[in-house]
Every structure is written in structure tokens, then in C-alpha cells.
Amino acid sequence: MERKEWNVEIFIDEDETDQVTTARAVLHAGDGTRHESVAHARRNPHDRPVPEIGDELAAGRALSDLAAKLIEDGAEDVAQFAAASRSR
């Protein structure tokens, strides 16, 4: 069995008003494939600023979107292989 390693980098930025946090999750697969997802967290102006909450929410949303993209890619691959095997 082949061992593979995929790496995910998460980049987090806050806007100048500290009200919007943006997270970008980038997956680097061992075969050179790259997937990227971007997500945001917005602080209610009436809440006190707690940057860690925005970081967690934005990063979690970016990772969730990345997971959905990977699941969609896998489902498409399964459909292609199934169609190819039926046409034989």
C-alpha cells in the first residue's frame, strides 16, 4: 500500500476594522493537485472583538468548503469510472 501525504495551509486575514475575518485553505496533494477554498466570518458590530472566534469560524468554513469540493471530485470520479465500465 502506498503512503500519501497531503498538506493543508490555512491563511487568515482580518480587515482593517476587525469586523471581517477571511480564511483561505489550500490543499496540496502529493500528485501536484491543488484545491483552494475561501470563507469569511463577520463580527456583529455590537459584540466585543475576540479575534480567535473569527479565526475559528472562518477557518472552519473554509475547511468545510474544501471538504465538500473533495467529496464532489470523488463522486465525479466514481461516476466516470462507473460509466466507463458499463460501456465495455
Side-chain angles (χ1 to χ4, degrees):
M1 185 169 158
E2 180 184 353
R3 181 176 184 265
K4 298 177 183 180
E5 182 174 322
W6 291 7
N7 295 296
V8 177
E9 294 179 290
I10 302 174
F11 303 93
I12 299 173
D13 294 299
E14 295 173 3
D15 72 346
E16 57 280 346
T17 65
D18 290 331
Q19 290 193 18
V20 178
T21 302
T22 302
R24 185 168 54 98
V26 182
L27 168 70
H28 302 278
D31 65 356
T33 303
R34 182 180 180 276
H35 291 282
E36 182 174 328
S37 290
V38 176
H40 308 280
R42 185 176 311 275
R43 180 175 62 84
N44 183 318
H46 301 292
D47 292 341
R48 66 184 181 94
V50 182
E52 295 81 12
I53 294 172
D55 295 352
E56 292 165 348
L57 290 171
R61 290 172 181 160
L63 288 169
S64 179
D65 184 63
L66 187 61
K69 287 179 180 179
L70 289 170
I71 290 169
E72 184 178 318
D73 286 353
E76 288 175 8
D77 290 345
V78 167
Q80 287 178 359
F81 280 109
S85 67
R86 277 183 263 160
S87 64
R88 289 185 197 167

